[in-house]
Amino acid sequence: MDLKAELKAAVERAAADLGAPVDVAIQETPANKPGDYGTPAAFQIAKALGQNPAQVAAQLAEKVELPQGISRVEAAGPFLNFFVDVGTFVRQVVEEPTLIPAKGGKVVIEHTSVNPNKELHVGHLRNVVLGDSMARIFRAAGHTVEVQNYIDDTGRQAAEALFAVSHYHRVWDGVQKYDHWLGEGYVRLNADPEKPSLEEGISAVIHRLEAGELRSEIEKVVRAHLETCFRLGARYDLLNWESDVVGSGFLAQAMNILEESRSTSHPTEGKYAGAFVMDVSEFMPGLEEPNVVLMRSDGTAMYAAKDIGYQFWKFGLFEGMRFKPFIQDPEGKTVWTSAPDGQPDTERRFGHAQEVINVIDSRQEHPQKIVKASLGVAGHPEEEERSIHLSYAFVTLEGQTISGRRGIAVSADEAMDEAQRRALVELEKLNPELAGRDDAGEIARRIGIGAIRFAMLKAEPTRKIDFRWEQALALNGDTAPYVQYAAVRAASILRKAQEAGYAIDGTGADWNAMPDLDLALAKMVAKLPEIVEQSVRIHSPHVIAQYALDLATAFNAWFNARDKAGKSATNVLHSPEGLREARLALVGRLRKGFEETLALIGIEVPSAM
């Protein structure tokens, strides 16, 4: 149910009848104002018609056809206020499923893309959780979503890690997680004072990587990385390897496209003589130096040129790579990989996006702007508009800056182990009966993983995060356990009602007996579709996390409400017959709302807390 959308449409029809089509905003009225929803549309219409806003509001009040669930409308000066029919509204919220307006089009989301040289650390988790949550949210909004993970298998970091294996005569025991083992050598090499003298050996490994000779070694790291990400709840559709992107001729094809633009050139004199240069001033105004070198005078490519080629492929501007199955995720779905020995993409399965979202940290903001501008230079303004950089700030751990190179980090695997361990300890303190249950470990897993994911999502991506254990796992405040506990409390009410023989599906409900207290809770439950739309529009999952907190807070306020005598005003099981059944149905819908909301950000509701 999306009553605000229905009101918007109704007011817009009435405005059109008055001769002034407008885009109407519907807002919740402030607590100290009459009505439940309102609109300032009369101002817009009055301006278009040259009339008095208050008079226009009065005309609108007469013309607007009220959707089901709205009992009446009043003109309050230049504003239009709508009053909800409590019983009808709550019943609609309870009985109608969450209807999110379906959007079309394919969205490619690239995230994770961690160098295959060592294990993921806790700072990487922000990237993974942001990207995975965006994929879930865009799917819920009706988009076809393809999640890509870029594997830099020819980079220096991977070469150093593999060089350390031979240089220090290291042998993997087959027991330790492979990415952790490999990372130990990488950290050791970067702390070795003799490293500058080892450059020749490192370069030799880079050449072997570029030739594809060591791909099987990198695959071991990638599999270990995926194991970590799967545990966190992330899922992928395609792994794209740097060596395959380069080997597929993306660079040449992208440069050929850009050659046709009036914004590219081959200067014959000056500091850019002999280079291939792109002028981005039309698309990135205000730059001190708007000329971007794509190809050096010696014919070698700048890194931005490679990124441009890859972005062009994502949008389907050309074909090129081959693919084959790589691994199955925990749900049994195939994760594909680019591969020289794979099959051509004759079904156009991969790429061909209408929108591309690259989840990359804030250090890459300028390069990502250049990639975006290149689409405009190439004559693809729609693709330029839909080339999105989801930029995020760094994560510190208990106030400490993370550095994988120096080994100053907590691994993602260790963080998840610790989260689950701490969750189990807290469970035993709060509810000792749970400690002996067979599902205690699963309850702790859901709480621990949920705490990590929520801590990475609750703030806007551009804000820095200091991850602290006690804050993340607290039952009070802006945490996943706070929301999960509210969901578990709702389930507990329903369970007790069933044990008492009461209907929880609305049978026997007296909807007209519901007071405004219940209306406030139902209105919060009904907001999910507009929250999803907002998240998609601004390309950030933090609004979903904030809504989850608002939903839990609204439920707790409703649950703890008191009448004038200080008694519980919402004791469901002791409510009068009819009102009791209506409230139980509302609590059931609320419980489903918690599950739907948390699922959008990859958090599961535990069976008990």
Side-chain angles (χ1 to χ4, degrees), residues 89-100:
F89 181 88
V90 177
R91 183 172 186 170
Q92 284 183 300
V93 171
V94 167
E95 294 182 349
E96 294 181 10
T98 301
L99 296 176
I100 299 170

Side-chain angles (χ1 to χ4, degrees), residues 109-114 120-136 147-149 225-236 359-361 390 392 395 412 416 452-453 456-457 541 600-602:
I109 300 176
E110 181 199 323
H111 69 82
T112 306
S113 305
V114 175
L120 278 73
H121 58 62
V122 70
H124 292 131
L125 295 182
R126 191 173 198 186
N127 183 306
V128 179
V129 173
L130 280 169
D132 180 67
S133 297
M134 277 281 86
R136 293 167 182 264
V147 178
Q148 297 183 5
N149 184 353
H225 281 181
L226 289 177
E227 182 182 331
T228 299
C229 296
F230 288 160
R231 182 181 174 191
L232 189 65
R235 300 293 182 263
Y236 304 87
V359 185
I360 307 176
D361 71 61
L390 202 171
Y392 65 92
V395 177
M416 287 186 281
I452 290 175
R453 289 189 66 114
M456 297 295 170
L457 291 175
L600 291 171
I601 49 177

Side-chain angles (χ1 to χ4, degrees), residues 333-414:
K333 182 183 174 183
T334 298
V335 179
W336 290 72
T337 181
S338 62
D341 59 343
Q343 297 297 315
D345 189 18
T346 55
E347 298 179 8
R348 293 161 63 96
R349 180 197 301 264
F350 302 115
H352 298 280
Q354 277 74 58
E355 183 169 311
V356 174
I357 302 172
N358 295 324
V359 185
I360 307 176
D361 71 61
S362 56
R363 293 173 301 180
Q364 297 298 312
E365 193 163 326
H366 183 68
Q368 282 294 302
K369 285 181 179 178
I370 291 173
V371 169
K372 180 181 178 75
S374 70
L375 287 158
V377 169
H380 291 275
E382 290 187 7
E383 286 79 0
E384 180 201 7
E385 179 69 21
R386 296 181 181 133
S387 181
I388 308 299
H389 174 207
L390 202 171
S391 174
Y392 65 92
F394 288 102
V395 177
T396 54
L397 179 65
E398 301 282 356
Q400 188 176 29
T401 300
I402 296 169
S403 172
R405 182 182 295 272
R406 297 196 301 272
I408 304 174
V410 171
S411 77
D413 295 305
E414 291 169 335

Side-chain angles (χ1 to χ4, degrees), residues 416-429:
M416 287 186 281
D417 288 342
E418 181 68 5
Q420 186 167 334
R421 186 193 68 78
R422 288 179 180 239
L424 193 58
V425 169
E426 290 301 314
L427 275 177
E428 291 173 348
K429 288 180 183 176

Side-chain angles (χ1 to χ4, degrees), residues 102-109 134-135 137-147 237 333 348-349 351-355:
K103 298 178 182 291
K106 181 176 182 179
V107 178
V108 164
I109 300 176
M134 277 281 86
I137 293 163
F138 270 76
R139 284 197 185 100
H143 291 280
T144 299
V145 177
E146 177 178 305
V147 178
D237 298 297
K333 182 183 174 183
R348 293 161 63 96
R349 180 197 301 264
H352 298 280
Q354 277 74 58
E355 183 169 311

Side-chain angles (χ1 to χ4, degrees), residues 174-421:
V175 177
Q176 186 180 12
K177 199 160 174 282
Y178 186 79
D179 52 346
H180 288 251
W181 173 80
L182 192 70
E184 289 174 354
Y186 174 79
V187 172
R188 178 178 175 183
L189 177 66
N190 280 281
D192 193 332
E194 300 297 320
K195 185 185 175 186
S197 66
L198 305 174
E199 191 59 39
E200 184 177 347
I202 295 170
S203 296
V205 176
I206 292 176
H207 292 314
R208 291 186 67 193
L209 284 170
E210 291 173 344
E213 296 176 14
L214 299 173
R215 181 153 177 157
S216 62
E217 294 301 311
I218 301 299
E219 284 186 354
K220 292 180 186 177
V221 189
V222 172
R223 290 176 186 275
H225 281 181
L226 289 177
E227 182 182 331
T228 299
C229 296
F230 288 160
R231 182 181 174 191
L232 189 65
R235 300 293 182 263
Y236 304 87
D237 298 297
L238 177 65
L239 313 177
N240 279 330
W241 295 61
E242 165 97 2
S243 56
D244 297 332
V245 170
V246 173
S248 298
F250 287 7
L251 177 63
Q253 293 189 72
M255 295 306 102
N256 287 340
I257 291 173
L258 290 170
E259 284 277 9
E260 304 299 318
S261 173
R262 58 182 172 79
S263 297
T264 57
S265 62
H266 294 271
T268 56
E269 56 185 28
K271 65 178 181 178
Y272 297 123
F276 181 42
V277 178
M278 177 173 67
D279 180 358
V280 297
S281 57
E282 183 181 345
F283 307 95
M284 296 174 63
L287 291 178
E288 186 175 329
E289 176 49 77
N291 292 305
V292 177
V293 175
L294 299 175
M295 304 293 292
R296 301 182 185 91
S297 57
D298 63 2
T300 58
M302 298 294 285
Y303 203 86
K306 297 179 183 178
D307 285 347
I308 288 168
Y310 185 35
Q311 192 80 344
F312 280 15
W313 172 81
K314 289 178 183 175
F315 276 111
L317 301 191
F318 48 74
E319 304 290 341
M321 283 199 291
R322 292 171 172 265
F323 305 95
K324 68 179 184 180
F326 182 74
I327 196 174
Q328 286 194 325
D329 69 21
E331 280 76 48
K333 182 183 174 183
T334 298
V335 179
W336 290 72
T337 181
S338 62
D341 59 343
Q343 297 297 315
D345 189 18
T346 55
E347 298 179 8
R348 293 161 63 96
R349 180 197 301 264
F350 302 115
H352 298 280
Q354 277 74 58
E355 183 169 311
V356 174
I357 302 172
N358 295 324
V359 185
I360 307 176
D361 71 61
S362 56
R363 293 173 301 180
Q364 297 298 312
E365 193 163 326
H366 183 68
Q368 282 294 302
K369 285 181 179 178
I370 291 173
V371 169
K372 180 181 178 75
S374 70
L375 287 158
V377 169
H380 291 275
E382 290 187 7
E383 286 79 0
E384 180 201 7
E385 179 69 21
R386 296 181 181 133
S387 181
I388 308 299
H389 174 207
L390 202 171
S391 174
Y392 65 92
F394 288 102
V395 177
T396 54
L397 179 65
E398 301 282 356
Q400 188 176 29
T401 300
I402 296 169
S403 172
R405 182 182 295 272
R406 297 196 301 272
I408 304 174
V410 171
S411 77
D413 295 305
E414 291 169 335
M416 287 186 281
D417 288 342
E418 181 68 5
Q420 186 167 334
R421 186 193 68 78

Side-chain angles (χ1 to χ4, degrees), residues 10-22 41-46 48-64 80:
V11 176
E12 287 176 350
R13 286 194 297 269
D17 289 344
L18 290 176
V22 292
F43 285 104
Q44 300 166 266
I45 299 169
L49 299 178
Q51 297 180 6
N52 180 286
Q55 292 177 338
V56 170
Q59 294 176 57
L60 271 179
E62 292 180 1
K63 274 195 169 292
V64 68
L80 214 60

